[in-house]
Amino acid sequence: MTAGPASPIAGAGDGTVRHFTRDDDLSPAEQAAVLSLAAELKADRFARQPLAGPRTVAVLFDKPSLRTRVSFAVGIAELGGFPLVIDMQGTHAGRGEPVTDIARVLAGQVAAIAWRTFGQAAIEEMAAASSVPVINALTDRFHPCQVLADLQTVRAAYGRLAGLVLTFLGDGSSNMAHSYLLGGATAGLQVRICAPEAYWPAADVLAAAAALAERTGGSVAVSADPLDACKGADVLATDVWTSMGQEGQERTRSGAMAGYQVDAAKLALASPACRVLHCLPAHRGEEIAAEVIDGPASLVFEQAENRLHAQKALLCFLLDAAAGERREGRG
């Protein structure tokens, strides 16, 4: 069924341009509302059409992508819009055009902007200059759209999020670890980041997550002991040990993190109902054992699909907020 305009979801429409550059840009109540809408949109993919027209959403890529490119393009189309996918190396950005100029040009023509790039400062600069919502589709520091999808996946498996224990194994300084800290704390999870000490999370991100957890009843912890961190976990999560932009560090990183592979032995230490996440692409036999990622505990491919539904719900939230701004005459 294709529906017409719907009332704003909870938390949107407060008369300000809302951006999603990091996980804690959503309050706990707003995150819960987005996740509830994501579940609704998974059940009825064409229930919301906020981009009918079609209105255009620009999706910018400085890095290679499969899941982000597909999920945003399909999701924007299913919301009634047109996905304008731009590889940034084919633009003047590579010749030094300022981010603020790019933001102002795009904002005059599109309904929202999603950007997969390197530095967090760049996307925050774009958001500061943009009069339409800006979404972090991945930076070196955070991967908030992925963690929204992960939270949707876990909530569907357990029926709740608050109080569950999520253990992330591997590179604790990665964008995924940082987003698990912020997004997980926002949801009231007990987040355990387990990594070699040289790869622990950034202190400011850990502090922000700890402050969030105090408000939501969650918790955050960092350790270097993978066996202890896996005990009783409801979710085990991991990611590649060497990300884009870290080429040449493979040997050092693999040596440091060899004991942090998500394997059958660690899964056996977790809760009997434990579920396993990996944001993909995966290197079987490195950060995760093939028998685990392809086994009955794995939710990896549901997790990948949920990028579509979570991002559609996020776009609905941000577009509702933008519509509220226009109604109040601030646009």
mmCIF file with all atom_site columns, all heavy atoms in Angstrom, residues 13 16 20 24 27 40 46 74 93 95 100 105 108 125 127 138 148 171 185 198 215 248 260 263 270 280 283 287 310:
data_model
loop_
_atom_site.group_PDB
_atom_site.id
_atom_site.type_symbol
_atom_site.label_atom_id
_atom_site.label_alt_id
_atom_site.label_comp_id
_atom_site.label_asym_id
_atom_site.label_entity_id
_atom_site.label_seq_id
_atom_site.pdbx_PDB_ins_code
_atom_site.Cartn_x
_atom_site.Cartn_y
_atom_site.Cartn_z
_atom_site.occupancy
_atom_site.B_iso_or_equiv
_atom_site.pdbx_formal_charge
_atom_site.auth_seq_id
_atom_site.auth_comp_id
_atom_site.auth_asym_id
_atom_site.auth_atom_id
_atom_site.pdbx_PDB_model_num
ATOM 1   N N   . GLY A 1 13  ? 9.886  17.333  14.142  1.00 0.00 ? 13  GLY A N   1
ATOM 2   C CA  . GLY A 1 13  ? 9.022  18.493  13.952  1.00 0.00 ? 13  GLY A CA  1
ATOM 3   C C   . GLY A 1 13  ? 9.121  19.522  15.050  1.00 0.00 ? 13  GLY A C   1
ATOM 4   O O   . GLY A 1 13  ? 8.135  20.187  15.353  1.00 0.00 ? 13  GLY A O   1
ATOM 5   N N   . THR A 1 16  ? 13.568 22.772  14.118  1.00 0.00 ? 16  THR A N   1
ATOM 6   C CA  . THR A 1 16  ? 14.991 22.934  13.873  1.00 0.00 ? 16  THR A CA  1
ATOM 7   C C   . THR A 1 16  ? 15.428 21.952  12.786  1.00 0.00 ? 16  THR A C   1
ATOM 8   O O   . THR A 1 16  ? 14.819 20.900  12.611  1.00 0.00 ? 16  THR A O   1
ATOM 9   C CB  . THR A 1 16  ? 15.820 22.664  15.139  1.00 0.00 ? 16  THR A CB  1
ATOM 10  O OG1 . THR A 1 16  ? 15.580 21.323  15.573  1.00 0.00 ? 16  THR A OG1 1
ATOM 11  C CG2 . THR A 1 16  ? 15.447 23.628  16.251  1.00 0.00 ? 16  THR A CG2 1
ATOM 12  N N   . PHE A 1 20  ? 22.202 14.005  11.472  1.00 0.00 ? 20  PHE A N   1
ATOM 13  C CA  . PHE A 1 20  ? 22.603 12.752  12.125  1.00 0.00 ? 20  PHE A CA  1
ATOM 14  C C   . PHE A 1 20  ? 24.058 12.491  11.759  1.00 0.00 ? 20  PHE A C   1
ATOM 15  O O   . PHE A 1 20  ? 24.367 11.741  10.843  1.00 0.00 ? 20  PHE A O   1
ATOM 16  C CB  . PHE A 1 20  ? 21.704 11.600  11.667  1.00 0.00 ? 20  PHE A CB  1
ATOM 17  C CG  . PHE A 1 20  ? 21.876 10.321  12.456  1.00 0.00 ? 20  PHE A CG  1
ATOM 18  C CD1 . PHE A 1 20  ? 21.668 10.288  13.821  1.00 0.00 ? 20  PHE A CD1 1
ATOM 19  C CD2 . PHE A 1 20  ? 22.223 9.140   11.815  1.00 0.00 ? 20  PHE A CD2 1
ATOM 20  C CE1 . PHE A 1 20  ? 21.813 9.109   14.544  1.00 0.00 ? 20  PHE A CE1 1
ATOM 21  C CE2 . PHE A 1 20  ? 22.361 7.953   12.519  1.00 0.00 ? 20  PHE A CE2 1
ATOM 22  C CZ  . PHE A 1 20  ? 22.162 7.930   13.884  1.00 0.00 ? 20  PHE A CZ  1
ATOM 23  N N   . ASP A 1 24  ? 24.646 9.892   19.014  1.00 0.00 ? 24  ASP A N   1
ATOM 24  C CA  . ASP A 1 24  ? 23.945 10.593  20.084  1.00 0.00 ? 24  ASP A CA  1
ATOM 25  C C   . ASP A 1 24  ? 23.268 11.876  19.600  1.00 0.00 ? 24  ASP A C   1
ATOM 26  O O   . ASP A 1 24  ? 22.804 12.680  20.412  1.00 0.00 ? 24  ASP A O   1
ATOM 27  C CB  . ASP A 1 24  ? 24.869 10.871  21.274  1.00 0.00 ? 24  ASP A CB  1
ATOM 28  C CG  . ASP A 1 24  ? 26.169 11.557  20.892  1.00 0.00 ? 24  ASP A CG  1
ATOM 29  O OD1 . ASP A 1 24  ? 26.429 11.754  19.685  1.00 0.00 ? 24  ASP A OD1 1
ATOM 30  O OD2 . ASP A 1 24  ? 26.947 11.895  21.808  1.00 0.00 ? 24  ASP A OD2 1
ATOM 31  N N   . SER A 1 27  ? 18.072 11.429  20.760  1.00 0.00 ? 27  SER A N   1
ATOM 32  C CA  . SER A 1 27  ? 17.857 11.159  22.182  1.00 0.00 ? 27  SER A CA  1
ATOM 33  C C   . SER A 1 27  ? 17.385 9.717   22.340  1.00 0.00 ? 27  SER A C   1
ATOM 34  O O   . SER A 1 27  ? 16.998 9.068   21.357  1.00 0.00 ? 27  SER A O   1
ATOM 35  C CB  . SER A 1 27  ? 16.792 12.104  22.739  1.00 0.00 ? 27  SER A CB  1
ATOM 36  O OG  . SER A 1 27  ? 15.507 11.752  22.224  1.00 0.00 ? 27  SER A OG  1
ATOM 37  N N   . GLU A 1 40  ? 8.140  -1.007  11.405  1.00 0.00 ? 40  GLU A N   1
ATOM 38  C CA  . GLU A 1 40  ? 6.911  -0.840  10.626  1.00 0.00 ? 40  GLU A CA  1
ATOM 39  C C   . GLU A 1 40  ? 7.215  -0.819  9.130   1.00 0.00 ? 40  GLU A C   1
ATOM 40  O O   . GLU A 1 40  ? 6.478  -1.420  8.325   1.00 0.00 ? 40  GLU A O   1
ATOM 41  C CB  . GLU A 1 40  ? 6.214  0.455   11.032  1.00 0.00 ? 40  GLU A CB  1
ATOM 42  C CG  . GLU A 1 40  ? 5.672  0.460   12.456  1.00 0.00 ? 40  GLU A CG  1
ATOM 43  C CD  . GLU A 1 40  ? 5.119  1.819   12.853  1.00 0.00 ? 40  GLU A CD  1
ATOM 44  O OE1 . GLU A 1 40  ? 4.804  2.617   11.935  1.00 0.00 ? 40  GLU A OE1 1
ATOM 45  O OE2 . GLU A 1 40  ? 5.011  2.084   14.060  1.00 0.00 ? 40  GLU A OE2 1
ATOM 46  N N   . PHE A 1 46  ? 6.257  0.400   1.733   1.00 0.00 ? 46  PHE A N   1
ATOM 47  C CA  . PHE A 1 46  ? 5.808  1.604   1.053   1.00 0.00 ? 46  PHE A CA  1
ATOM 48  C C   . PHE A 1 46  ? 4.776  2.371   1.883   1.00 0.00 ? 46  PHE A C   1
ATOM 49  O O   . PHE A 1 46  ? 3.985  3.149   1.348   1.00 0.00 ? 46  PHE A O   1
ATOM 50  C CB  . PHE A 1 46  ? 5.244  1.237   -0.325  1.00 0.00 ? 46  PHE A CB  1
ATOM 51  C CG  . PHE A 1 46  ? 6.264  0.574   -1.210  1.00 0.00 ? 46  PHE A CG  1
ATOM 52  C CD1 . PHE A 1 46  ? 6.331  -0.808  -1.293  1.00 0.00 ? 46  PHE A CD1 1
ATOM 53  C CD2 . PHE A 1 46  ? 7.187  1.322   -1.918  1.00 0.00 ? 46  PHE A CD2 1
ATOM 54  C CE1 . PHE A 1 46  ? 7.289  -1.425  -2.087  1.00 0.00 ? 46  PHE A CE1 1
ATOM 55  C CE2 . PHE A 1 46  ? 8.145  0.721   -2.713  1.00 0.00 ? 46  PHE A CE2 1
ATOM 56  C CZ  . PHE A 1 46  ? 8.198  -0.661  -2.801  1.00 0.00 ? 46  PHE A CZ  1
ATOM 57  N N   . VAL A 1 74  ? 17.905 2.366   -2.703  1.00 0.00 ? 74  VAL A N   1
ATOM 58  C CA  . VAL A 1 74  ? 16.619 1.673   -2.675  1.00 0.00 ? 74  VAL A CA  1
ATOM 59  C C   . VAL A 1 74  ? 15.665 2.357   -1.699  1.00 0.00 ? 74  VAL A C   1
ATOM 60  O O   . VAL A 1 74  ? 14.479 2.572   -1.999  1.00 0.00 ? 74  VAL A O   1
ATOM 61  C CB  . VAL A 1 74  ? 16.816 0.194   -2.305  1.00 0.00 ? 74  VAL A CB  1
ATOM 62  C CG1 . VAL A 1 74  ? 15.473 -0.506  -2.088  1.00 0.00 ? 74  VAL A CG1 1
ATOM 63  C CG2 . VAL A 1 74  ? 17.610 -0.535  -3.395  1.00 0.00 ? 74  VAL A CG2 1
ATOM 64  N N   . ALA A 1 93  ? 35.161 18.593  -5.619  1.00 0.00 ? 93  ALA A N   1
ATOM 65  C CA  . ALA A 1 93  ? 35.651 18.390  -4.258  1.00 0.00 ? 93  ALA A CA  1
ATOM 66  C C   . ALA A 1 93  ? 37.108 17.936  -4.289  1.00 0.00 ? 93  ALA A C   1
ATOM 67  O O   . ALA A 1 93  ? 37.907 18.307  -3.410  1.00 0.00 ? 93  ALA A O   1
ATOM 68  C CB  . ALA A 1 93  ? 34.790 17.366  -3.532  1.00 0.00 ? 93  ALA A CB  1
ATOM 69  N N   . ARG A 1 95  ? 39.291 18.867  -6.206  1.00 0.00 ? 95  ARG A N   1
ATOM 70  C CA  . ARG A 1 95  ? 40.149 20.000  -6.569  1.00 0.00 ? 95  ARG A CA  1
ATOM 71  C C   . ARG A 1 95  ? 40.093 21.091  -5.518  1.00 0.00 ? 95  ARG A C   1
ATOM 72  O O   . ARG A 1 95  ? 40.527 22.216  -5.752  1.00 0.00 ? 95  ARG A O   1
ATOM 73  C CB  . ARG A 1 95  ? 39.731 20.555  -7.931  1.00 0.00 ? 95  ARG A CB  1
ATOM 74  C CG  . ARG A 1 95  ? 39.880 19.530  -9.053  1.00 0.00 ? 95  ARG A CG  1
ATOM 75  C CD  . ARG A 1 95  ? 39.333 20.059  -10.367 1.00 0.00 ? 95  ARG A CD  1
ATOM 76  N NE  . ARG A 1 95  ? 39.982 21.295  -10.785 1.00 0.00 ? 95  ARG A NE  1
ATOM 77  C CZ  . ARG A 1 95  ? 39.570 22.047  -11.813 1.00 0.00 ? 95  ARG A CZ  1
ATOM 78  N NH1 . ARG A 1 95  ? 38.500 21.691  -12.503 1.00 0.00 ? 95  ARG A NH1 1
ATOM 79  N NH2 . ARG A 1 95  ? 40.219 23.152  -12.134 1.00 0.00 ? 95  ARG A NH2 1
ATOM 80  N N   . THR A 1 100 ? 31.721 23.816  2.712   1.00 0.00 ? 100 THR A N   1
ATOM 81  C CA  . THR A 1 100 ? 30.600 24.722  2.947   1.00 0.00 ? 100 THR A CA  1
ATOM 82  C C   . THR A 1 100 ? 29.926 25.121  1.643   1.00 0.00 ? 100 THR A C   1
ATOM 83  O O   . THR A 1 100 ? 28.694 25.255  1.589   1.00 0.00 ? 100 THR A O   1
ATOM 84  C CB  . THR A 1 100 ? 31.069 25.966  3.707   1.00 0.00 ? 100 THR A CB  1
ATOM 85  O OG1 . THR A 1 100 ? 32.192 26.549  3.011   1.00 0.00 ? 100 THR A OG1 1
ATOM 86  C CG2 . THR A 1 100 ? 31.504 25.615  5.124   1.00 0.00 ? 100 THR A CG2 1
ATOM 87  N N   . VAL A 1 105 ? 25.271 24.542  -2.153  1.00 0.00 ? 105 VAL A N   1
ATOM 88  C CA  . VAL A 1 105 ? 24.791 24.216  -3.504  1.00 0.00 ? 105 VAL A CA  1
ATOM 89  C C   . VAL A 1 105 ? 23.776 23.082  -3.441  1.00 0.00 ? 105 VAL A C   1
ATOM 90  O O   . VAL A 1 105 ? 22.695 23.149  -4.028  1.00 0.00 ? 105 VAL A O   1
ATOM 91  C CB  . VAL A 1 105 ? 25.971 23.851  -4.419  1.00 0.00 ? 105 VAL A CB  1
ATOM 92  C CG1 . VAL A 1 105 ? 25.469 23.225  -5.723  1.00 0.00 ? 105 VAL A CG1 1
ATOM 93  C CG2 . VAL A 1 105 ? 26.818 25.083  -4.721  1.00 0.00 ? 105 VAL A CG2 1
ATOM 94  N N   . GLY A 1 108 ? 20.256 23.783  -1.766  1.00 0.00 ? 108 GLY A N   1
ATOM 95  C CA  . GLY A 1 108 ? 19.316 24.547  -2.568  1.00 0.00 ? 108 GLY A CA  1
ATOM 96  C C   . GLY A 1 108 ? 18.508 23.694  -3.527  1.00 0.00 ? 108 GLY A C   1
ATOM 97  O O   . GLY A 1 108 ? 17.550 24.185  -4.138  1.00 0.00 ? 108 GLY A O   1
ATOM 98  N N   . GLU A 1 125 ? 31.185 19.928  9.392   1.00 0.00 ? 125 GLU A N   1
ATOM 99  C CA  . GLU A 1 125 ? 31.246 21.197  8.684   1.00 0.00 ? 125 GLU A CA  1
ATOM 100 C C   . GLU A 1 125 ? 30.106 21.297  7.672   1.00 0.00 ? 125 GLU A C   1
ATOM 101 O O   . GLU A 1 125 ? 29.479 22.354  7.533   1.00 0.00 ? 125 GLU A O   1
ATOM 102 C CB  . GLU A 1 125 ? 32.600 21.330  7.982   1.00 0.00 ? 125 GLU A CB  1
ATOM 103 C CG  . GLU A 1 125 ? 32.823 22.664  7.299   1.00 0.00 ? 125 GLU A CG  1
ATOM 104 C CD  . GLU A 1 125 ? 34.182 22.777  6.631   1.00 0.00 ? 125 GLU A CD  1
ATOM 105 O OE1 . GLU A 1 125 ? 34.913 21.764  6.595   1.00 0.00 ? 125 GLU A OE1 1
ATOM 106 O OE2 . GLU A 1 125 ? 34.497 23.871  6.133   1.00 0.00 ? 125 GLU A OE2 1
ATOM 107 N N   . ALA A 1 127 ? 27.190 19.766  7.859   1.00 0.00 ? 127 ALA A N   1
ATOM 108 C CA  . ALA A 1 127 ? 25.945 19.932  8.596   1.00 0.00 ? 127 ALA A CA  1
ATOM 109 C C   . ALA A 1 127 ? 25.772 21.377  9.068   1.00 0.00 ? 127 ALA A C   1
ATOM 110 O O   . ALA A 1 127 ? 24.666 21.933  9.024   1.00 0.00 ? 127 ALA A O   1
ATOM 111 C CB  . ALA A 1 127 ? 25.913 18.969  9.782   1.00 0.00 ? 127 ALA A CB  1
ATOM 112 N N   . LEU A 1 138 ? 28.929 7.109   7.045   1.00 0.00 ? 138 LEU A N   1
ATOM 113 C CA  . LEU A 1 138 ? 30.163 6.498   7.560   1.00 0.00 ? 138 LEU A CA  1
ATOM 114 C C   . LEU A 1 138 ? 31.269 7.538   7.526   1.00 0.00 ? 138 LEU A C   1
ATOM 115 O O   . LEU A 1 138 ? 31.454 8.234   6.522   1.00 0.00 ? 138 LEU A O   1
ATOM 116 C CB  . LEU A 1 138 ? 30.615 5.268   6.746   1.00 0.00 ? 138 LEU A CB  1
ATOM 117 C CG  . LEU A 1 138 ? 31.950 4.617   7.186   1.00 0.00 ? 138 LEU A CG  1
ATOM 118 C CD1 . LEU A 1 138 ? 31.896 3.091   7.050   1.00 0.00 ? 138 LEU A CD1 1
ATOM 119 C CD2 . LEU A 1 138 ? 33.142 5.159   6.371   1.00 0.00 ? 138 LEU A CD2 1
ATOM 120 N N   . LEU A 1 148 ? 22.272 1.857   13.986  1.00 0.00 ? 148 LEU A N   1
ATOM 121 C CA  . LEU A 1 148 ? 20.812 1.883   14.027  1.00 0.00 ? 148 LEU A CA  1
ATOM 122 C C   . LEU A 1 148 ? 20.245 0.571   13.496  1.00 0.00 ? 148 LEU A C   1
ATOM 123 O O   . LEU A 1 148 ? 19.329 -0.014  14.085  1.00 0.00 ? 148 LEU A O   1
ATOM 124 C CB  . LEU A 1 148 ? 20.270 3.038   13.184  1.00 0.00 ? 148 LEU A CB  1
ATOM 125 C CG  . LEU A 1 148 ? 20.018 4.385   13.841  1.00 0.00 ? 148 LEU A CG  1
ATOM 126 C CD1 . LEU A 1 148 ? 19.404 5.335   12.821  1.00 0.00 ? 148 LEU A CD1 1
ATOM 127 C CD2 . LEU A 1 148 ? 19.139 4.281   15.078  1.00 0.00 ? 148 LEU A CD2 1
ATOM 128 N N   . ASP A 1 171 ? 38.914 -4.115  16.966  1.00 0.00 ? 171 ASP A N   1
ATOM 129 C CA  . ASP A 1 171 ? 39.509 -2.780  16.999  1.00 0.00 ? 171 ASP A CA  1
ATOM 130 C C   . ASP A 1 171 ? 38.587 -1.843  17.765  1.00 0.00 ? 171 ASP A C   1
ATOM 131 O O   . ASP A 1 171 ? 37.611 -1.320  17.231  1.00 0.00 ? 171 ASP A O   1
ATOM 132 C CB  . ASP A 1 171 ? 39.725 -2.276  15.562  1.00 0.00 ? 171 ASP A CB  1
ATOM 133 C CG  . ASP A 1 171 ? 40.380 -0.899  15.522  1.00 0.00 ? 171 ASP A CG  1
ATOM 134 O OD1 . ASP A 1 171 ? 40.689 -0.344  16.603  1.00 0.00 ? 171 ASP A OD1 1
ATOM 135 O OD2 . ASP A 1 171 ? 40.577 -0.376  14.409  1.00 0.00 ? 171 ASP A OD2 1
ATOM 136 N N   . ALA A 1 185 ? 24.645 2.862   24.355  1.00 0.00 ? 185 ALA A N   1
ATOM 137 C CA  . ALA A 1 185 ? 24.331 3.547   25.611  1.00 0.00 ? 185 ALA A CA  1
ATOM 138 C C   . ALA A 1 185 ? 23.003 4.284   25.503  1.00 0.00 ? 185 ALA A C   1
ATOM 139 O O   . ALA A 1 185 ? 22.220 4.310   26.455  1.00 0.00 ? 185 ALA A O   1
ATOM 140 C CB  . ALA A 1 185 ? 25.453 4.508   25.970  1.00 0.00 ? 185 ALA A CB  1
ATOM 141 N N   . ALA A 1 198 ? 46.274 -0.951  22.801  1.00 0.00 ? 198 ALA A N   1
ATOM 142 C CA  . ALA A 1 198 ? 46.679 0.025   21.785  1.00 0.00 ? 198 ALA A CA  1
ATOM 143 C C   . ALA A 1 198 ? 45.523 0.428   20.881  1.00 0.00 ? 198 ALA A C   1
ATOM 144 O O   . ALA A 1 198 ? 45.630 1.411   20.134  1.00 0.00 ? 198 ALA A O   1
ATOM 145 C CB  . ALA A 1 198 ? 47.821 -0.540  20.947  1.00 0.00 ? 198 ALA A CB  1
ATOM 146 N N   . ARG A 1 215 ? 22.117 8.000   32.186  1.00 0.00 ? 215 ARG A N   1
ATOM 147 C CA  . ARG A 1 215 ? 20.740 8.465   32.010  1.00 0.00 ? 215 ARG A CA  1
ATOM 148 C C   . ARG A 1 215 ? 19.805 7.335   31.602  1.00 0.00 ? 215 ARG A C   1
ATOM 149 O O   . ARG A 1 215 ? 18.611 7.384   31.891  1.00 0.00 ? 215 ARG A O   1
ATOM 150 C CB  . ARG A 1 215 ? 20.693 9.559   30.939  1.00 0.00 ? 215 ARG A CB  1
ATOM 151 C CG  . ARG A 1 215 ? 21.367 10.862  31.337  1.00 0.00 ? 215 ARG A CG  1
ATOM 152 C CD  . ARG A 1 215 ? 21.577 11.759  30.129  1.00 0.00 ? 215 ARG A CD  1
ATOM 153 N NE  . ARG A 1 215 ? 20.415 11.772  29.231  1.00 0.00 ? 215 ARG A NE  1
ATOM 154 C CZ  . ARG A 1 215 ? 20.478 12.077  27.937  1.00 0.00 ? 215 ARG A CZ  1
ATOM 155 N NH1 . ARG A 1 215 ? 21.651 12.364  27.386  1.00 0.00 ? 215 ARG A NH1 1
ATOM 156 N NH2 . ARG A 1 215 ? 19.376 12.085  27.205  1.00 0.00 ? 215 ARG A NH2 1
ATOM 157 N N   . GLY A 1 248 ? 48.353 -1.168  4.686   1.00 0.00 ? 248 GLY A N   1
ATOM 158 C CA  . GLY A 1 248 ? 49.746 -1.257  5.102   1.00 0.00 ? 248 GLY A CA  1
ATOM 159 C C   . GLY A 1 248 ? 49.905 -1.623  6.565   1.00 0.00 ? 248 GLY A C   1
ATOM 160 O O   . GLY A 1 248 ? 51.012 -1.943  7.008   1.00 0.00 ? 248 GLY A O   1
ATOM 161 N N   . TYR A 1 260 ? 41.266 -12.052 19.397  1.00 0.00 ? 260 TYR A N   1
ATOM 162 C CA  . TYR A 1 260 ? 39.943 -11.441 19.535  1.00 0.00 ? 260 TYR A CA  1
ATOM 163 C C   . TYR A 1 260 ? 38.970 -11.916 18.462  1.00 0.00 ? 260 TYR A C   1
ATOM 164 O O   . TYR A 1 260 ? 37.888 -11.347 18.302  1.00 0.00 ? 260 TYR A O   1
ATOM 165 C CB  . TYR A 1 260 ? 40.082 -9.914  19.494  1.00 0.00 ? 260 TYR A CB  1
ATOM 166 C CG  . TYR A 1 260 ? 40.872 -9.391  20.677  1.00 0.00 ? 260 TYR A CG  1
ATOM 167 C CD1 . TYR A 1 260 ? 42.270 -9.400  20.665  1.00 0.00 ? 260 TYR A CD1 1
ATOM 168 C CD2 . TYR A 1 260 ? 40.230 -8.917  21.820  1.00 0.00 ? 260 TYR A CD2 1
ATOM 169 C CE1 . TYR A 1 260 ? 43.003 -8.944  21.757  1.00 0.00 ? 260 TYR A CE1 1
ATOM 170 C CE2 . TYR A 1 260 ? 40.951 -8.457  22.907  1.00 0.00 ? 260 TYR A CE2 1
ATOM 171 C CZ  . TYR A 1 260 ? 42.341 -8.476  22.873  1.00 0.00 ? 260 TYR A CZ  1
ATOM 172 O OH  . TYR A 1 260 ? 43.060 -8.040  23.949  1.00 0.00 ? 260 TYR A OH  1
ATOM 173 N N   . ASP A 1 263 ? 34.875 -16.672 17.611  1.00 0.00 ? 263 ASP A N   1
ATOM 174 C CA  . ASP A 1 263 ? 34.914 -18.077 17.214  1.00 0.00 ? 263 ASP A CA  1
ATOM 175 C C   . ASP A 1 263 ? 33.970 -18.893 18.094  1.00 0.00 ? 263 ASP A C   1
ATOM 176 O O   . ASP A 1 263 ? 33.296 -18.358 18.987  1.00 0.00 ? 263 ASP A O   1
ATOM 177 C CB  . ASP A 1 263 ? 36.342 -18.623 17.281  1.00 0.00 ? 263 ASP A CB  1
ATOM 178 C CG  . ASP A 1 263 ? 37.003 -18.414 18.636  1.00 0.00 ? 263 ASP A CG  1
ATOM 179 O OD1 . ASP A 1 263 ? 36.272 -18.242 19.652  1.00 0.00 ? 263 ASP A OD1 1
ATOM 180 O OD2 . ASP A 1 263 ? 38.241 -18.432 18.707  1.00 0.00 ? 263 ASP A OD2 1
ATOM 181 N N   . ALA A 1 270 ? 29.198 -17.142 25.891  1.00 0.00 ? 270 ALA A N   1
ATOM 182 C CA  . ALA A 1 270 ? 28.115 -16.161 25.914  1.00 0.00 ? 270 ALA A CA  1
ATOM 183 C C   . ALA A 1 270 ? 26.812 -16.811 26.351  1.00 0.00 ? 270 ALA A C   1
ATOM 184 O O   . ALA A 1 270 ? 26.760 -18.012 26.646  1.00 0.00 ? 270 ALA A O   1
ATOM 185 C CB  . ALA A 1 270 ? 27.980 -15.529 24.536  1.00 0.00 ? 270 ALA A CB  1
ATOM 186 N N   . LEU A 1 280 ? 29.866 -6.381  7.809   1.00 0.00 ? 280 LEU A N   1
ATOM 187 C CA  . LEU A 1 280 ? 30.292 -6.766  6.464   1.00 0.00 ? 280 LEU A CA  1
ATOM 188 C C   . LEU A 1 280 ? 31.006 -5.601  5.752   1.00 0.00 ? 280 LEU A C   1
ATOM 189 O O   . LEU A 1 280 ? 30.731 -4.459  6.040   1.00 0.00 ? 280 LEU A O   1
ATOM 190 C CB  . LEU A 1 280 ? 29.117 -7.266  5.629   1.00 0.00 ? 280 LEU A CB  1
ATOM 191 C CG  . LEU A 1 280 ? 28.377 -8.502  6.156   1.00 0.00 ? 280 LEU A CG  1
ATOM 192 C CD1 . LEU A 1 280 ? 27.178 -8.834  5.255   1.00 0.00 ? 280 LEU A CD1 1
ATOM 193 C CD2 . LEU A 1 280 ? 29.299 -9.719  6.230   1.00 0.00 ? 280 LEU A CD2 1
ATOM 194 N N   . HIS A 1 283 ? 35.974 -11.064 6.717   1.00 0.00 ? 283 HIS A N   1
ATOM 195 C CA  . HIS A 1 283 ? 37.102 -11.930 6.357   1.00 0.00 ? 283 HIS A CA  1
ATOM 196 C C   . HIS A 1 283 ? 37.001 -13.182 7.218   1.00 0.00 ? 283 HIS A C   1
ATOM 197 O O   . HIS A 1 283 ? 37.460 -13.197 8.364   1.00 0.00 ? 283 HIS A O   1
ATOM 198 C CB  . HIS A 1 283 ? 38.432 -11.213 6.581   1.00 0.00 ? 283 HIS A CB  1
ATOM 199 C CG  . HIS A 1 283 ? 38.577 -9.962  5.768   1.00 0.00 ? 283 HIS A CG  1
ATOM 200 N ND1 . HIS A 1 283 ? 39.225 -8.845  6.236   1.00 0.00 ? 283 HIS A ND1 1
ATOM 201 C CD2 . HIS A 1 283 ? 38.150 -9.665  4.518   1.00 0.00 ? 283 HIS A CD2 1
ATOM 202 C CE1 . HIS A 1 283 ? 39.202 -7.900  5.309   1.00 0.00 ? 283 HIS A CE1 1
ATOM 203 N NE2 . HIS A 1 283 ? 38.556 -8.379  4.257   1.00 0.00 ? 283 HIS A NE2 1
ATOM 204 N N   . GLU A 1 287 ? 38.742 -12.022 11.617  1.00 0.00 ? 287 GLU A N   1
ATOM 205 C CA  . GLU A 1 287 ? 38.012 -11.470 12.770  1.00 0.00 ? 287 GLU A CA  1
ATOM 206 C C   . GLU A 1 287 ? 36.831 -12.331 13.191  1.00 0.00 ? 287 GLU A C   1
ATOM 207 O O   . GLU A 1 287 ? 36.336 -12.188 14.314  1.00 0.00 ? 287 GLU A O   1
ATOM 208 C CB  . GLU A 1 287 ? 37.549 -10.034 12.484  1.00 0.00 ? 287 GLU A CB  1
ATOM 209 C CG  . GLU A 1 287 ? 36.381 -9.918  11.524  1.00 0.00 ? 287 GLU A CG  1
ATOM 210 C CD  . GLU A 1 287 ? 36.783 -9.910  10.057  1.00 0.00 ? 287 GLU A CD  1
ATOM 211 O OE1 . GLU A 1 287 ? 37.996 -10.024 9.779   1.00 0.00 ? 287 GLU A OE1 1
ATOM 212 O OE2 . GLU A 1 287 ? 35.892 -9.778  9.200   1.00 0.00 ? 287 GLU A OE2 1
ATOM 213 N N   . ALA A 1 310 ? 16.188 0.870   8.593   1.00 0.00 ? 310 ALA A N   1
ATOM 214 C CA  . ALA A 1 310 ? 16.601 1.849   9.603   1.00 0.00 ? 310 ALA A CA  1
ATOM 215 C C   . ALA A 1 310 ? 16.874 3.206   8.968   1.00 0.00 ? 310 ALA A C   1
ATOM 216 O O   . ALA A 1 310 ? 16.506 4.254   9.524   1.00 0.00 ? 310 ALA A O   1
ATOM 217 C CB  . ALA A 1 310 ? 17.843 1.340   10.345  1.00 0.00 ? 310 ALA A CB  1
#
